[in-house]
């Protein structure tokens, strides 16, 4: 199988050997390494009590990391044209998974939410796959309907025939955070795809109105919105999680209390190794460590946006829109998670990309990285440009070299 993959040009098997965008790769690997260290530190007490092994969560995280890197190895060999050709298939797969997770006996309920499909000891979160597949589908749509999107209301509204039902399925789980991130990335892609300011302004107004209605219709969402503005008013009730996170930030001061020395992770801060791992990081590494982590996130997301810009300049529009979409998925999750940790946003269960404990999120982050590396390589080698056509003779040298 590997010999067959080598016949097709790829960033891993080229005349230059391994030909990757090393700045992006280095930034993401640094975040993955930091995430593994923080999971090992933040989960020891919980794992020791619940599983009898202080390294239980770290070992599982490491397994997911290996799976993610393996998936990234395969994905980076797949041409972007393949993703574009099967974007409808991926969209239907996303709908199927989001429906299956709601079926009793198939979906697993954790903390009152049906967000996971169980496979033995492991859980798969369909919403993570759905966000990726929506980006691929919408990128294909923007290429196919480029003029229509720019010039007519119909081209603007058609994507929402797909996006709104998918958002509805996510809200049934319920997964409000994933819905906001997915719709935010979709709106950003439509704007960059050429939607006019009037239509984009209408879309933003409708989105704000929809969020307001959703908050009002669910009591727990309204309670979270009220509580986060003054968590100390109910610090042992609805505001408990946020107050404990803020205590962690306060204890960290400039340089932190030292790796492994967090007090808040010792059953004071719920979900310390998942949604609130950044609070533990701030406590142990301080403001300096937190700012370095934020700087790494800013670097990789800006680099991803530049990869999209370079692809667009090379007239590789599908690749460009995919890169933009993936970048905005990262940005959305980063802003929501950090905002929740520091008390700027209501408490919402959304993982921090590359850092938080969570197998599906980690694997999809690795897959997204691989797709961005592939996009950057195809742009430099002019593969995928709409102005170029290739035949078998163009790859003859690569095939003979592989053999």
């Amino acid at each position: 199988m590997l010999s067959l993959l080598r016949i097709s040009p790829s960033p891993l098997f080229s005349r230059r050997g391994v030909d990757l965008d090393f700045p992006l790769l280095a930034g993401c690997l640094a975040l993955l390494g930091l995430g593994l260290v923080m999971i090992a530190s933040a989960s020891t007490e919980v794992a020791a009590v619940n599983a009898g092994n202080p390294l239980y969560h770290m070992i599982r995280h490491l397994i997911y990391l290996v799976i993610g890197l393996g998936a990234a190895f395969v994905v980076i060999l797949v041409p972007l044209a393949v993703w574009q050709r099967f974007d409808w298939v991926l969209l239907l797969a996303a709908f199927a998974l989001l429906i299956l997770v709601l079926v009793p006996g198939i979906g697993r309920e954790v903390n009152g939410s049906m967000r996971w499909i169980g496979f033995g000891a492991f859980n798969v979160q369909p919403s993570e796959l759905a966000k990726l597949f929506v980006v691929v589908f919408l990128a294909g749509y923007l290429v196919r309907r480029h003029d229509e999107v720019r010039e007519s209301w119909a081209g603007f509204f058609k994507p929402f025939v797909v996006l709104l039902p998918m958002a509805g399925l996510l809200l049934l789980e319920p997964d409000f955070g994933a819905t906001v991130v997915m719709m935010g990335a979709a709106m950003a892609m439509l704007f960059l795809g050429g939607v006019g300011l009037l239509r984009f302004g209408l879309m933003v107004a409708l989105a704000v109105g929809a969020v307001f209605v959703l908050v009002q219709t669910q009591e727990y969402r309204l309670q979270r919105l009220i509580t986060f503005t003054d968590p100390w008013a109910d610090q042992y009730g609805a505001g408990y999680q946020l107050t404990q996170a803020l205590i962690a930030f306060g204890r960290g001061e400039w340089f932190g209390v030292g790796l492994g020395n967090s007090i808040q992770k010792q059953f004071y801060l719920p979900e310390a190794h998942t949604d609130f791992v950044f609070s533990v990081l701030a406590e142990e590494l301080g403001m300096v460590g937190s700012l370095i982590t934020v700087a790494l996130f800013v670097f990789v997301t800006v680099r991803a946006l530049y990869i999209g810009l370079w692809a667009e300049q090379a007239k590789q529009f599908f690749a460009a829109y995919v890169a933009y979409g993936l970048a905005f998925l990262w940005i959305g999750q980063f802003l929501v998670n950090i905002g929740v940790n520091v008390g700027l946003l209501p408490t919402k269960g959304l993982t921090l990309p590359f850092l938080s404990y969570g197998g599906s999120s980690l694997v999809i982050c690795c897959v997204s990285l691989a797709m961005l590396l592939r996009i950057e390589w195809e742009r430099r080698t002019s593969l995928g440009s709409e102005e170029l056509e290739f035949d078998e003779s163009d790859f003859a040298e690569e095939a003979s070299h592989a053999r």
Side-chain angles (χ1 to χ4, degrees):
M1 180 64 181
L2 187 59
S3 61
L4 292 175
L5 290 172
R6 289 187 181 189
I7 294 176
S8 177
S10 77
L12 299 181
F13 305 108
S14 68
R15 281 172 289 201
R16 296 177 57 184
V18 177
D19 187 14
L20 299 171
D21 181 42
F22 284 102
L24 177 64
L25 180 62
C28 290
L29 289 179
L31 287 171
L32 288 171
L34 178 61
L36 182 62
V37 171
M38 291 312 305
I39 295 302
S41 174
S43 66
T44 50
E45 280 73 15
V46 173
V49 171
N50 295 338
N53 180 4
L55 300 180
Y56 174 79
H57 292 300
M58 188 212 67
I59 293 171
R60 286 176 63 89
H61 188 80
L62 185 59
I63 292 172
Y64 280 122
L65 180 57
V66 172
I67 294 173
L69 293 176
F73 179 85
V74 174
V75 168
I76 205 170
L77 301 177
V78 179
L80 266 296
V82 175
W83 291 92
Q84 186 174 6
R85 186 181 309 160
F86 294 103
D87 60 351
W88 268 102
V89 176
L90 296 176
L91 182 70
L92 293 175
F95 270 109
L97 289 170
L98 290 177
I99 293 171
L100 282 175
V101 77
L102 298 173
V103 177
I106 297 179
R108 285 187 176 178
E109 183 175 347
V110 179
N111 295 331
S113 298
M114 295 278 286
R115 301 180 187 175
W116 296 268
I117 296 177
F119 293 93
F122 297 94
N123 293 327
V124 173
Q125 193 168 0
S127 61
E128 295 293 336
L129 285 166
K131 288 184 290 186
L132 174 64
F133 293 165
V134 162
V135 165
V136 174
F137 165 77
L138 194 54
Y141 173 82
L142 290 172
V143 172
R144 291 190 300 271
R145 306 287 184 177
H146 186 261
D147 293 336
E148 189 178 357
V149 169
R150 286 173 173 261
E151 298 171 4
S152 72
W153 286 91
F156 164 66
F157 280 115
K158 282 180 181 178
F160 291 96
V161 175
V162 171
L163 293 173
L164 292 179
M166 186 164 289
L169 289 172
L170 287 171
L171 290 172
L172 288 176
E173 295 183 5
D175 195 343
F176 187 66
T179 307
V180 170
V181 170
M182 183 191 74
M183 295 300 288
M187 290 168 61
M189 290 176 68
L190 286 169
F191 180 71
L192 293 173
V195 171
L197 285 176
L198 175 61
R199 280 169 284 165
F200 183 75
L202 174 63
M203 179 170 57
V204 171
L206 290 174
V208 172
V211 170
F212 178 79
V213 171
L214 289 172
V215 169
Q216 293 291 327
T217 54
Q218 292 290 336
E219 182 64 29
Y220 78 93
R221 292 188 188 127
L222 183 60
Q223 186 61 40
R224 284 181 177 180
L225 186 63
I226 296 172
T227 301
F228 101 98
T229 58
D230 185 14
W232 303 101
D234 189 16
Q235 61 178 317
Y236 297 111
Y240 179 78
Q241 205 166 21
L242 179 53
T243 56
Q244 296 303 314
L246 294 176
I247 290 171
F249 277 93
R251 292 193 74 254
E253 297 184 351
W254 284 100
F255 298 102
V257 298
L259 188 63
N261 293 328
S262 168
I263 298 298
Q264 294 306 106
K265 69 181 181 182
Q266 298 179 10
F267 299 97
Y268 291 101
L269 179 61
E271 311 295 339
H273 60 295
T274 54
D275 302 339
F276 284 86
V277 68
F278 189 75
S279 297
V280 177
L281 184 150
E283 184 181 4
E284 296 188 347
L285 304 183
M287 180 177 288
V288 172
S290 301
L291 291 177
I292 291 173
T293 304
V294 170
L296 275 173
F297 273 112
V298 171
F299 173 75
V300 298
T301 52
V302 170
R303 186 76 180 182
L305 289 172
Y306 267 105
I307 287 173
L309 177 62
W310 295 331
E312 188 172 7
Q313 290 172 344
K315 297 189 176 181
Q316 299 174 355
F317 295 110
F318 174 76
Y321 295 137
V322 170
Y324 290 144
L326 295 177
F328 281 110
L329 286 181
W330 288 357
I331 291 169
Q333 287 190 231
F334 165 70
L335 290 177
V336 171
N337 185 277
I338 299 295
V340 166
N341 274 253
V342 300
L344 293 177
L345 293 173
T347 302
K348 188 89 253 21
L350 202 63
T351 56
L352 187 60
F354 297 104
L355 260 73
S356 292
Y357 177 81
S360 299
S361 174
L362 187 64
V363 171
I364 294 302
C365 282
C366 292
V367 168
S368 301
L369 169 61
M371 293 180 71
L372 287 166
L373 293 173
R374 177 82 195 194
I375 290 168
E376 194 276 336
W377 179 80
E378 287 195 7
R379 190 271 309 177
R380 279 189 291 109
T381 56
S382 296
L383 291 174
S385 175
E386 66 174 15
E387 296 182 339
L388 297 176
E389 293 184 0
F390 297 91
D391 56 34
E392 294 181 1
S393 63
D394 293 304
F395 303 138
E397 185 178 348
E398 291 285 347
S400 62
H401 177 72
R403 287 193 292 266

